[in-house]
Amino acid sequence: MTQPSESDISILFATRVVRLFVYGGVALILALYLAEVGLREQEIGLLFTLTLLGDAGISLWITTSADRMGRRKMLVLGAALMVLAGLTFALTDNFILLIIAAIIGVISPSGKEIGPFLSIEQAALAQLVRAEHRTQTFAWYNLVGSFAAAAGALIAGAVVHHLQSAGAEASESYRYVLIGYAFGGVLLMTLFLLLSESVETTRTSSTVHPLGLHRSKNTVLKLSALFSLDAFAGGFIIESFLAYWFHVKFGADERVLGMIFFAGNILAGTSALSAARIASRIGLVNTMVFTHLPSNVLLCFVPLMPNLPLAIGVLLLRYSISQMDVPTRQSYTMAVVAPDERSAAAGVTSIARSLGASLSPTIAGYFLANPLLMGAPFFVAGGLKIMYDLLLFRSFKALKPPEEGA
């Protein structure tokens, strides 16, 4: 008979696949859809900012309460908010209603994780696996997520292209993707209900601490500040904006965009396994920094490319190393905090990332509205990310996780 922990790990991997599949699909079309229904670039940027701010607020409450109120309950609630956002975006183009749905609901303009899911799942996985297997588990967890996001982008692009070729209006074809996103939320609710008690934490103290943190509070707050800077930089180049930039700059259609992000996510996911092997040799912090730096240099070269094939080539080269810091960052955060702080630590760092990322889309929207500044998001993002890498190395090179200290 399968042990509860084994089945729970399988379910958590399955929820990651479902979630990233619909995230990848909706990120491909979201900016294009909003432009199609009449929003300007500045309004799209503002909407994305409010989406990420709302996500930060909802996630703060859910993740810092998860260990106390129950991780499964909070995961189901997050999935319900996905359904709310997907249906609202699909059924109305009223800007005020879209803002409300963006703030309250959960929808991903970046194609990456958003909402409370990642934080709680990280904490559960760190509890279910042994310390020496943690980084490798997170690497596979990110690999399946990247592959799912790749498939989601590819299939969404193909579906939209097919519907438009058959005579559907562009906005109508995009709405089918949004309805699929809402259906993904329903499927997630079902899967989360199948989790066992093994994913819940055993608290070591009855004291309720602010933000759910106690011993590791200072470490988590320092990490959060740095992760917020990285996410602020990343907010300039979320996938919805990348899709819009390639569409406007080079005339790439939805099918081509789907193939770009399919290939990019496949490369990013595969690199996660390499990150685990590298980390076992040079350490988690070194891997986070020394694989991230060159990817940010490549980012600055994308808008300098004179044609679509070269721009795609540089972007894909960046994808091949840009996400190697993700499983190592997740593993490091789980390693340097107490077990009963893991949900809260993952939540606080994730929320810091959401807050950082929420500020930049509004600025990026103004850049994209000006033909002379369309390349600026790449340069700003690359420069800030390089700064983040250097500060991270300086601040945390001496703080080793337990397995490296041994």
Side-chain angles (χ1 to χ4, degrees):
M1 180 177 177
T2 303
Q3 295 298 315
S5 62
E6 294 176 356
S7 63
D8 288 330
I9 291 171
S10 298
I11 292 171
L12 291 173
F13 271 66
T15 58
R16 171 80 169 173
V17 169
V18 171
R19 195 166 59 250
L20 269 293
F21 180 84
V22 295
Y23 283 175
V26 84
L28 178 76
I29 58 92
L30 193 55
L32 298 174
Y33 169 69
L34 295 171
E36 188 67 28
V37 298
L39 272 64
R40 296 173 298 158
E41 290 90 347
Q42 296 93 327
E43 291 173 325
I44 295 172
L46 175 62
L47 186 63
F48 287 171
T49 287
L50 294 174
T51 297
L52 295 168
L53 281 173
D55 164 65
I58 294 293
S59 297
L60 177 62
W61 173 65
I62 290 178
T63 55
T64 57
S65 303
D67 286 350
R68 178 166 45 90
M69 298 179 65
R71 290 172 177 172
R72 290 171 296 176
K73 292 179 182 177
M74 296 296 101
L75 289 169
V76 171
L77 176 59
L81 294 176
M82 278 182 64
V83 178
L84 170 68
L87 289 178
T88 303
F89 271 73
L91 298 177
T92 183
D93 57 6
N94 182 282
F95 188 54
I96 301 301
L97 292 178
L98 290 175
I99 286 177
I100 294 172
I103 293 173
I104 298 174
V106 173
I107 195 164
S108 176
S110 65
K112 303 296 188 295
E113 282 284 8
I114 194 170
F117 309 105
L118 178 64
S119 304
I120 300 174
E121 289 183 359
Q122 282 179 18
L125 284 171
Q127 181 171 299
L128 294 170
V129 301
R130 294 163 58 183
E132 59 267 29
H133 298 152
R134 188 185 58 251
T135 302
Q136 188 71 11
T137 300
F138 282 156
W140 281 103
Y141 177 76
N142 282 279
L143 173 70
V144 299
S146 292
F147 279 23
L154 185 67
I155 292 173
V159 167
V160 166
H161 181 79
H162 173 75
L163 290 171
Q164 292 181 18
S165 298
E169 296 288 336
S171 59
E172 181 185 356
S173 67
Y174 298 148
R175 285 191 176 100
Y176 280 99
V177 178
L178 290 163
I179 291 171
Y181 180 86
F183 177 78
V186 174
L187 183 55
L188 283 174
M189 292 173 67
T190 304
L191 289 169
F192 287 137
L193 289 171
L194 297 176
L195 290 169
S196 76
E197 287 284 346
S198 298
V199 303
E200 305 291 356
T201 187
T202 302
R203 296 189 62 83
T204 58
S205 169
S206 60
T207 305
V208 177
H209 299 277
L211 299 178
L213 300 170
H214 47 92
R215 187 183 72 190
S216 312
K217 181 179 178 181
N218 289 338
T219 297
V220 172
L221 292 179
K222 288 179 183 178
L223 284 170
S224 297
L226 289 170
F227 293 168
S228 181
L229 173 62
D230 181 44
F232 175 72
F236 285 94
I237 52 162
I238 55 178
E239 283 193 4
S240 290
F241 279 159
L242 285 177
Y244 185 81
W245 184 83
F246 275 102
H247 180 72
V248 173
K249 178 77 173 178
F250 296 113
D253 64 22
E254 293 86 359
R255 184 169 56 177
V256 172
L257 294 171
M259 290 189 289
I260 292 172
F261 294 126
F262 173 79
N265 280 291
I266 291 294
L267 290 171
T270 304
S271 71
L273 297 181
S274 300
R277 289 195 295 271
I278 294 170
S280 67
R281 296 181 180 180
I282 67 173
L284 292 171
V285 172
N286 288 341
T287 304
M288 291 160 65
V289 173
F290 297 133
T291 62
H292 208 227
L293 271 170
S295 77
N296 298 324
V297 175
L298 287 169
L299 180 62
C300 295
F301 281 100
V302 173
L304 301 178
M305 296 299 103
N307 55 51
L308 179 61
L310 286 175
I312 292 173
V314 174
L315 182 67
L316 293 181
L317 184 59
R318 178 185 184 264
Y319 266 113
S320 68
I321 54 175
S322 66
Q323 298 300 302
M324 294 176 72
D325 72 310
V326 175
T328 46
R329 181 182 71 224
Q330 294 166 352
S331 180
Y332 184 79
T333 304
M334 295 297 95
V336 296
V337 302
D340 66 339
E341 296 177 288
R342 283 172 173 160
S343 285
V348 170
T349 54
S350 177
I351 289 153
R353 293 185 64 82
S354 292
L355 287 173
S358 71
L359 303 175
S360 36
T362 298
I363 305 171
Y366 282 94
F367 286 151
L368 293 174
N370 187 332
L372 297 177
L373 296 176
M374 284 196 70
F378 295 89
F379 300 125
V380 174
L384 289 174
K385 281 178 170 288
I386 290 171
M387 184 186 303
Y388 153 78
D389 290 326
L390 298 176
L391 289 172
L392 178 69
F393 183 71
R394 178 182 177 184
S395 301
F396 286 95
K397 61 182 179 180
L399 180 59
K400 307 291 186 183
E403 64 269 24
E404 291 180 22

